[in-house]
Amino acid sequence: GAVVSQHPSRVICKSGTSVKIECRSLDFQATTMFWYRQFPKQSLMLMATSNEGSKATYEQGVEKDKFLINHASLTLSTLTVTSAHPEDSSFYICSATRWDHYGYTFGSGTRLTVV
Amino acid sequence: AQSVSQHNHHVILSEAASLELGCNYSYGGTVNLFWYVQYPGQHLQLLLKYFSGDPLVKGIKGFEAEFIKSKFSFNLRKPSVQWSDTAEYFCAVNAWNRDDKIIFGKGTRLHILP
């Protein structure tokens, strides 16, 4: 079945630094990837939708200059949290789908802690 | 380790049929439970969630789910499905006192025949 690998699973960084999170589809071509964020004890919040080869579409309230999304190939999308602050500490998860949106597969998530 | 199991990968029903999608999880502590839906070409949407209280939870679009702690289950139900319910459904679990990691099941693809 379809597999999405997300890396790293856990990262701790200092305030002001940048962190890159990778989301890879291992056995299919992911034309669309979604990035979500989960706040403690809440449901997921969609941050952005990225289609391969084009700019990501950000949800209202999500700073595109802070959360840089790159979807340069059919198997890889990256989320870079720039100039991270403690309030960016959260759980980030990606999901990917094929061109026909036949099935969605989630990564295992990344726990980001900014100190 | 936590895990979430959705028993049916692909379900096909006729309109007006009743629906039940199974979800079991493995974690011995207190959990938050979710059902999400993803329509073709769209992002994930929350159908319903259980945090505490009444184990029978009602969500949007006529869906409900029942948390049975003794069975580690959180099955999703709808008495009469519509063609517009065609989508992929995900069960998810978030364990308390962990690192707020949310674990998704592999999803159930529901196809409703008109």
Side-chain angles (χ1 to χ4, degrees):
Chain A
V3 178
V4 171
S5 172
Q6 189 171 338
H7 180 80
S9 59
R10 191 182 293 265
V11 59
I12 301 172
C13 70
K14 290 186 177 180
S15 189
T17 62
S18 295
V19 173
K20 181 184 283 188
I21 302 169
E22 291 187 349
C23 183
R24 289 182 186 274
S25 58
L26 299 186
D27 52 1
F28 68 102
Q29 294 185 328
T31 51
T32 301
M33 287 193 178
F34 301 89
W35 286 96
Y36 298 89
R37 180 177 179 177
Q38 187 203 6
F39 294 97
K41 308 296 189 288
Q42 296 185 30
S43 62
L44 290 183
M45 180 194 80
L46 177 68
M47 297 176 67
T49 303
S50 76
N51 292 295
E52 184 266 338
S54 59
K55 289 184 179 181
T57 303
Y58 289 81
E59 294 301 298
Q60 195 171 11
V62 178
E63 299 174 62
K64 59 181 68 175
D65 294 330
K66 182 169 187 59
F67 298 100
L68 300 178
I69 292 173
N70 184 284
H71 192 165
S73 79
L74 284 170
T75 59
L76 175 64
S77 176
T78 59
L79 166 67
T80 302
V81 183
T82 63
S83 187
H85 290 283
E87 57 265 30
D88 299 325
S89 297
S90 191
F91 183 74
Y92 295 87
I93 193 166
C94 67
S95 80
T97 189
R98 299 175 352 179
W99 64 273
D100 56 359
H101 296 275
Y102 188 73
Y104 299 86
T105 306
F106 285 87
S108 54
T110 298
R111 161 60 57 192
L112 170 63
T113 303
V114 184
V115 297
Chain B
Q2 287 173 261
S3 67
V4 178
S5 174
Q6 290 182 242
H7 317 301
N8 314 102
H9 297 296
H10 199 175
V11 173
I12 301 174
L13 294 173
S14 297
E15 273 195 310
S18 65
L19 169 73
E20 180 159 2
L21 301 182
C23 174
N24 286 89
Y25 65 93
S26 65
Y27 178 66
T30 305
V31 293
N32 299 327
L33 298 158
F34 306 84
W35 273 99
Y36 288 91
V37 61
Q38 191 154 16
Y39 299 101
Q42 299 185 28
H43 65 270
L44 213 60
Q45 296 176 46
L46 180 67
L47 269 182
L48 48 79
K49 62 185 178 185
Y50 171 81
F51 278 16
S52 64
D54 189 344
L56 184 60
V57 180
K58 294 197 183 297
I60 61 172
K61 306 186 181 189
F63 286 91
E64 64 177 33
E66 185 174 13
F67 171 47
I68 303 179
K69 191 174 181 179
S70 60
K71 294 185 178 180
F72 298 90
S73 70
F74 190 56
N75 292 355
L76 180 70
R77 300 193 292 249
K78 184 170 183 177
S80 176
V81 294
Q82 300 171 307
W83 179 79
S84 57
D85 293 324
T86 295
E88 190 153 8
Y89 293 79
F90 293 92
C91 179
V93 173
N94 178 208
W96 282 31
N97 301 320
R98 286 291 180 105
D99 55 4
D100 286 313
K101 184 172 182 175
I102 188 165
I103 308 292
F104 281 84
K106 291 192 180 298
T108 297
R109 203 165 300 128
L110 176 64
H111 187 70
I112 305 299
L113 302 173

